[in-house]
Amino acid sequence: MNALTIRRAMAAVLLGFALFAILSPGLEAQYFGRNKVQYKRFDFKIIKTKHFDVYYYPEFKDAAQQAARMAERWYARLSRVLNHELKGRQPLILYSSSPHFQQTTTTSETISEGTGGFTEAFKRRIVLPVGSSPGETDHVIGHELVHAFQYDIASLGTPGATAYSNALQLPLWFIEGMSEYLSIGPVDAHTAMWMRDATQRKELPAVKKLDNPYKYFPYRYGQAMWSYITGRWGDEMIPRLVKTAGRAGDLEAAITRVLGVNYETLTKDWHQAYKDAFEPLLAQTQLVDPASKALFKGTEESVYNISPSLSPDGRQVIFLSTRDLFSIDLYLADALSGKIKKKITETAVEAKFESLQFIKSTGCWDPQGKKFVFGAVSNGEPNLTVFDAERERIVEEIEFRELDEIFSPTWSPDGRMIAFSSLTGGKTDLYVYNLETKNLRQLTDDFFGDLHPAWSPDGSRIAFVTDRFTTDLSLLSIGDYELALIDPESGQIERVEAFSGAKNINPQWSPDSRSLYFISDQSGKSDIYRIDLGTKRIFQVTNLFTGVSGITDLSPAISVAQESGRMAYSAFDQGKYSIFAVEPGEPLLGKAEIVQFGGKLLSVLPPREQPSGALLGLLKNPLFGLPEQVEFAESSYKPKLTLDYVAPPQVGVGVDRFGTYTGGGVGLFWTDMLGYHTLGTVVQSTSRFKDLTGILSYQNSQRRLNWGGAIGRIPYVFYGGYGVNYGIIDGQEVIIEQEDLYWQINYQASVFLAYPFNQVRRVEVYAGFQYIDFDREYVTYIYDAYTGTQLYRDTIPQPSADSISFAYTTLALVYDSALFGATAPIIGQSYILEYTPTIGSLRYHTFMADYRKYVMPAKPFTLAFRALHYGRYGRDADDPRLWPLYLGYETFVRGYDYGSFTYAEFEGESFDQARLFGSKILVGNLELRFPLFRVLGIGKGFYGILPVDMVAFYDWGVAWGADVFTGEQAKPVFLGGTRKAISSGGLGLRMNVFGYLVVGVNYVKPFDRSNKGWYFQFSFWPGF
């Protein structure tokens, strides 16, 4: 084989990479990813206040009016504390519930169940759902508005990307911790619990190590650090520190400059303050309750074991846990031995449930202990899901389209009804559903938060949690959660006076219906108490050093078996959440003496010893900044595109043997406020017009059916050959270089539709038209052999291929339930089936099937399999103007990349390179992948100290169609032909680099290259 043929073969590989996508339009759909489904269409309106544009829809207008007043009050507080006024009006986009919020079009990112809201930098939009109580809504608005101030301060007068870039330079503990501190203050029982635990374990980090958000939760540790800074230097240091750090981008230097201490001194003083405050408590509390038995201990792999629910006889328990690493799921277990019987849900890889309400809710057993009911969200709608414990399967799903969310269902003792709390229309009320008549009845109807219902064993009353006795809705003065009883027939409500000025939540009945167990933070930490409803006496059941708690301070955490009286509870234990059980008897009667800790409130974060500070004064004053106006004029939302982001313009000048060039490019992206419409433009050019690139794209995401289109011009230039010779011209020794350059200029217009059936399955339809022009030049350069001075340059146009034009349509079915790890998927499956007919200058059909399966036979090892077929069929499938598909890409079959071949390898019979090309390919891949440092025991968590996967792999593939050199048809052996497959195997490493790039190296042996041994091949792609 001559050198020119080899050069052209290699050029085919380079060009084929680009044309593979361009000439195969169906590949536009070749991507995986879960769907963000717009189940509902919201008719947004706008409320305009002094500083805010509040976006909402009529279903929760009254709640939105309240939120608007809260926002103005927060603006007054934060502008006072930060000594800063926001530039321009502040958008606040509200949703009536978390399932609605998860459908937001303001971001393309999938929003997890645990996300309470977000603030983005480009338009400085605050987006959040209404909370389960006025207090929850108020806190999240305050938290997110702090972020808006942070972006505005960091922007230096330039919004959008600059604000985002400047804010990203600051660690999350600084950003999120400041938002928590300014929206809660220095008194927080939940954060104090975390800090006591870290201090006792001697795992309080140095300030510099707080930069690691994976190890040190930035909300808790950040709030604690801000409380220390302001407790020592005063709240007036906040604006100075924020502005200095935000503009300099160097937090350590800013702290040293503003506070006058370096990181080392700050760490030492912080640690000492915590030791002084917390270590004396060890003698007054218990690390583990002596009457409690650990059922499910938190571990590095299972941090969360929460929301236990005991069967009536106390012998079975259903709880939420992350014991399978990848999601929080429901488990059925033996409550005596702790042995797991059944994993009830598989939320990581199944689309059945979009939410288990694991933060706000728990479930309940029926009186016979045979069935379990829990609240969930499926296909955007709330439902009561019934699990049969005897048959170990879900037997019923009761959907409530008129509601938004369902929390904490509780079964009536006769088994005929289920009561629950529901967030609907921006307010949380109590409901009762009759299982026999299918009738839904609303018990409460107001803007107070009514949570955690529990039906009494005698059936006469339902205990619940409410803020109705302490909250003043006219002043939006947020009160504490208290206990109450409601008659399920008359709706009459009775106050249960437990601890005033404290949280009282999660009531659970004693079997005789005479007492309520509940959680209170009256001492500044959360413990279990019992109140005798007859005598009104309160008894203390636990006195833990940390606290009895779920994920948040409002999460349910205790359960009492309604027949045996056995108790289970979740507690924060050694930096994790564990579930404990207590047998009935004296320990559950509790102690009459309530521990008071000398009058010290344990929720006050050091160095403060008592609640104090300018911020706390503002937070406790409901009137400061609160508008007297309670209703605001509204208007309809009218989309208007505004610029979101400008990609940094690039301009360059270069000189090489091709001459002198100038070039540059810029990208601009526009959206409307709600993200219904997205417009993108990209322009890139050089001093030659033929190299001009321009793309205009549009997407409409307003409805469940997404659609859009694009038009563009994209030129490609490739080497067809290159030669160097020495000669003598006019007696002068010269170097003669010759370049054979090819241009392919693509003009394309396309439209698309995408319809998601659920979060994992969708159908896509594409249609478009392409016109492809070709050009070719032969360029000769002559240089002085000694000085390198260019003496001559000549460009000669050469014949090129005829232009082609064609239209295409694509239909694709996409499924993806795979869970992506650091470098590749680790569990689940994905597939795509796609068909594309093409008509015009070329007529052919393209078919693609790509199936991927990931199983974990033993943690943490993943066995990954892929089968892929991509082929062009029909009259022009092998037209020479369609560059052949190349099998040797690293993403197909490793060990055959074009850069690894040498001329010598092609000259004999050692390898027929035609085996790498074709109009059809079939690929199979098998990988065993595992986190290297986790297996070696270096570091904690799933990946250990670094997100590095080791892989052992086997790749196989075959390409067929017209021979790239002879033009003769070649069929694979399994179709009766002679074309042989290629294969390879080896070991590799892949690493995730800061979440932006996956890089890898493979030590590969191509089994069908006899003259090629093992060699290293690099990659910059995630695993399949």
Side-chain angles (χ1 to χ4, degrees), residues 175-190:
I175 297 295
E176 295 294 351
M178 175 182 165
S179 289
E180 282 292 271
Y181 175 75
L182 289 178
S183 59
I184 296 176
V187 181
D188 187 352
H190 202 63

Side-chain angles (χ1 to χ4, degrees), residues 58 78 102 224 413 486 504 511 553 662 695 934:
L78 296 176
Q102 290 170 20
I486 187 170
N504 304 273
D553 62 338
T662 60
I695 300 172
R934 157 76 180 280

Side-chain angles (χ1 to χ4, degrees), residues 700-822:
N700 186 302
S701 305
Q702 186 171 2
R703 297 175 177 83
R704 187 169 185 171
L705 177 66
N706 289 188
W707 61 273
I711 57 174
R713 179 189 192 274
I714 305 176
Y716 297 86
V717 59
F718 306 95
Y719 284 105
Y722 173 69
V724 179
N725 295 295
Y726 293 88
I728 298 176
I729 298 178
D730 296 332
Q732 183 177 0
E733 293 186 36
V734 296
I735 299 173
I736 303 172
E737 292 185 357
Q738 294 177 314
E739 303 277 358
D740 193 1
L741 301 178
Y742 290 83
W743 273 266
Q744 177 180 294
I745 304 171
N746 301 279
Y747 302 87
Q748 180 174 355
S750 63
V751 295
F752 74 87
L753 302 172
Y755 185 86
F757 298 108
N758 51 41
Q759 289 187 334
V760 300
R761 184 182 286 109
R762 67 180 177 271
V763 64
E764 299 175 341
V765 178
Y766 294 82
F769 177 81
Q770 282 194 359
Y771 174 80
I772 302 176
D773 197 13
F774 299 92
D775 198 3
R776 182 184 177 192
E777 293 180 355
Y778 201 77
V779 186
T780 300
Y781 305 89
I782 300 177
Y783 301 93
D784 186 291
Y786 297 101
T787 67
T789 303
Q790 182 177 307
L791 305 175
Y792 177 80
R793 181 183 184 275
D794 185 41
T795 300
I796 302 176
Q798 300 292 310
S800 58
D802 294 335
S803 299
I804 57 176
S805 60
F806 54 85
Y808 64 87
T809 58
T810 296
L811 178 64
L813 177 65
V814 185
Y815 179 95
D816 185 6
S817 68
L819 181 67
F820 199 90

